[in-house]
Amino acid sequence: MLEIWGRPYSSNVIPVIWTAAELGLNYKLKLAGGSFGQLDTAEFGKMNPNRMIPAIRDGDFCLWESHAIVRYLSHSYGEGSLCPKDVRQRAVADQWMEWCGTRAFTPVIQMFFGTVRTAPEQRDMKTVMAHVEEASRVLSILDAHLSTQHYVAGDSFTMGDIPLGAVAYRYFNVDVVRPSLPNVEAWYERLTHRPAYQAHVMRFFGTNPEEWQALEIACASEGD
Ligand SMILES: N[C@@H](CCC(=O)N[C@@H](CS)C(=O)NCC(=O)O)C(=O)O
C-alpha cells in the first residue's frame, strides 16, 4: 500500500495527502516530522536523504519533494483527471505548481508563521502585514489569470490547483485584513466544495503555537 510519510498539518505534506484523497487512493499515513520524529532514522534517511517530509513509498519506489509527489501520483493514478492528457494543459498545470513554490508559498507561509506560529505577545504585525501585502501582490497575478477560467489549467480541476489550493487555505484563514482578490476568492470557494479539500486542507490550525501544538498531537490517531 502507498505510504505517505509526514504530519497532516505540515504545509508541504497537505498537498500530497489531498492528492491521494482526490484520487481515491488507499494509503497509510506514517507520522513523521515535528514531534513525531522519525526523520533521523536509517529507514527514513534511505527514503529521503534530506530528512524532510513529505516522502512516499509506493511499492519499491520512494520519492520526495511535495510537487514531484503530487505529479507522480497524478500521472500514475489520475491520467485524464488530475493529470491533463493534453500536453499544453499539463504544462500549464506544471507552470502554476512551480509558480506556487517560487512565488506564492513563501509570503503566505511567512504570514502564517508570523501569526499562528508566534505567541501573540511576540508578534511583529508590521512585518506580518508586509508579508500580507507581498502575498496579495503575488496572488493578484493568479487573480488576473482566473478571470477567464475556473481553475488554473482551464475549466476543470487539475494537479495544478493543488499546491496553490493548500496555500490559499492558509492565506484566507490567517486572522489579518487582506485586499480583495475576487477571482482567487471565487476559485477558493470552488475548492471548498471538494470533499477531499474539506477533509485534508480545511482543518482548523489554531490561533497560536499552543493550539497548533495540541492539534498536531491530536493527529497521532490518524497515522502509524
Ligand atoms: N521543498 C520541500 C520542502 C520540505 C520541507 O520543508 N519540509 C518541512 C515540513 S513543511 C520539514 O520536513 N520540516 C521538518 C519537520 O517537519 O520536522 C517539499 O516541497 O517537499
Side-chain angles (χ1 to χ4, degrees), residues 69-181:
I69 298 171
V70 169
R71 284 193 184 92
Y72 165 75
L73 295 177
S74 302
H75 283 244
S76 304
Y77 306 108
E79 184 81 16
S81 60
L82 286 192
C83 178
K85 281 198 173 128
D86 179 79
V87 172
R88 290 187 176 181
Q89 195 191 0
R90 194 188 317 157
V92 173
D94 277 337
Q95 168 191 276
W96 286 101
M97 289 171 76
E98 292 301 308
W99 183 84
C100 180
T102 57
R103 305 297 311 279
F105 183 87
T106 300
V108 174
I109 293 308
Q110 281 171 334
M111 281 168 62
F112 183 70
F113 268 80
T115 52
V116 175
R117 304 294 301 271
T118 303
E121 63 279 6
Q122 286 168 6
R123 285 179 197 164
D124 172 358
M125 289 312 289
K126 197 165 165 228
T127 302
V128 168
M129 289 316 293
H131 295 314
V132 173
E133 200 177 304
E134 172 63 3
S136 309
R137 195 183 63 75
V138 170
L139 289 174
S140 70
I141 297 168
L142 177 63
D143 197 66
H145 178 67
L146 290 171
S147 66
T148 54
Q149 56 191 54
H150 281 165
Y151 295 97
V152 305
D155 277 326
S156 58
F157 176 80
T158 68
M159 62 184 179
D161 295 285
I162 289 184
L164 277 169
V167 161
Y169 182 69
R170 301 266 200 259
Y171 176 75
F172 284 117
N173 290 282
V174 164
D175 186 20
V176 292
V177 176
R178 57 188 82 65
S180 167
L181 293 169

Side-chain angles (χ1 to χ4, degrees), residues 7 10-13 32-35 37 39 51-54 64-67 69 105:
R7 39 192 180 87
S10 154
S11 303
N12 288 304
V13 176
S35 55
L39 306 189
R51 300 193 181 276
M52 297 189 115
I53 49 169
W64 39 268
E65 278 297 335
S66 59
H67 295 184
I69 298 171
F105 183 87

Side-chain angles (χ1 to χ4, degrees), residues 187-202:
W187 162 79
Y188 169 67
E189 163 69 17
R190 266 172 231 123
L191 298 182
T192 66
H193 294 289
R194 305 187 74 83
Y197 191 76
Q198 292 165 4
H200 301 289
V201 186
M202 296 172 67

Side-chain angles (χ1 to χ4, degrees), residues 14-25 69-70 73-74 82 162:
I14 288 169
V16 171
I17 297 177
W18 178 19
T19 303
E22 287 285 351
L23 293 167
L25 302 178
I69 298 171
V70 169
L73 295 177
S74 302
L82 286 192
I162 289 184

